[in-house]
Amino acid sequence: MPRGTKQTREECLAALRRLSEILGGSRPTAADLRGKAGREAGCPREHVYYRLFGSLEAAVEAAGLSDLPTAKQKRLSEARAEVRRLFEETLAGRKFLLEGEAVALVRNLSGCGLPPDARKALLREVCREKGVHLVSLPTSAALHAAASWLAGQPCRGRLPEREAVRAARGGGGGAAPGAGA
């Protein structure tokens, strides 16, 4: 709207609704109002909403948009759903998850949009739901490989060779699990 033009309450509410549509059905925020999307929607400046409604939140409520999530909340919700799906896929059929594997899973999803603490909490939640135990082992790579082999779960994408397991167990004595007589 041109400067100096007095906007009505109805025009302001219509602009907020257009902004919500541009934002993909999200609840507009002050930052959205000031940004490119707010200009595209023809939203007046924030102070106009304060003058006409008392606050931007009151205007959003009057426009019937207060129950919608913000664009940021939608992005986080979508990211959380995708990370949950990846965790569930990774943990399918597993009985335990080694701590090092958990750290790697969380680290590998650094670009997903969720902060590390949220990814860790989500992994713990999925583990609880799936009955997967988080196991902390000493940091010895050989011990980690042997434990993975004994559990029949790959270590770094594959099971270690029988010789590596024997070396980790102290070099000898006794057959490895699953070894034929």
Side-chain angles (χ1 to χ4, degrees):
M1 296 191 160
R3 284 181 173 240
T5 304
K6 293 281 186 181
Q7 294 88 10
T8 65
R9 288 174 61 95
E10 293 75 26
E11 290 170 331
C12 290
L13 294 176
L16 278 178
R17 290 184 190 109
R18 282 192 303 274
L19 177 56
S20 176
E21 287 178 28
I22 290 170
L23 296 171
S26 298
R27 181 177 74 236
T29 65
D32 297 326
L33 194 69
R34 292 187 294 268
K36 181 181 175 186
R39 290 188 299 277
E40 286 177 19
C43 289
R45 293 187 177 170
E46 197 173 343
H47 71 88
V48 174
Y49 290 99
Y50 280 90
R51 181 174 46 83
L52 294 174
F53 297 94
S55 70
L56 179 58
E57 292 77 20
V60 168
E61 188 171 331
L65 305 171
S66 60
D67 289 337
L68 298 175
T70 64
K72 181 178 180 179
Q73 289 169 332
K74 282 178 81 171
R75 280 192 309 274
L76 286 174
S77 178
E78 289 166 2
R80 181 175 162 69
E82 178 62 14
V83 168
R84 172 178 271 287
R85 186 191 66 73
L86 289 170
F87 285 163
E88 288 176 350
E89 187 178 291
T90 301
L91 297 174
R94 307 250 336 232
K95 297 292 181 207
F96 72 90
L97 181 68
L98 299 174
E99 186 177 337
E101 293 174 305
V103 169
L105 272 173
V106 169
R107 188 181 312 122
N108 289 341
L109 293 171
S110 61
C112 72
L114 288 178
D117 288 343
R119 295 191 307 262
K120 289 176 193 173
L122 185 56
L123 179 58
R124 283 191 301 272
E125 181 181 312
V126 172
C127 283
R128 261 193 317 277
E129 290 171 7
K130 298 281 183 194
V132 175
H133 301 281
L134 284 170
V135 179
S136 178
L137 290 175
T139 57
S140 164
L143 183 58
H144 185 173
S148 294
W149 185 81
L150 290 168
Q153 293 183 5
C155 172
R156 294 189 181 97
R158 62 186 178 85
L159 290 173
E161 298 297 324
R162 188 176 308 261
E163 292 76 29
V165 174
R166 283 195 183 112
R169 293 175 64 200

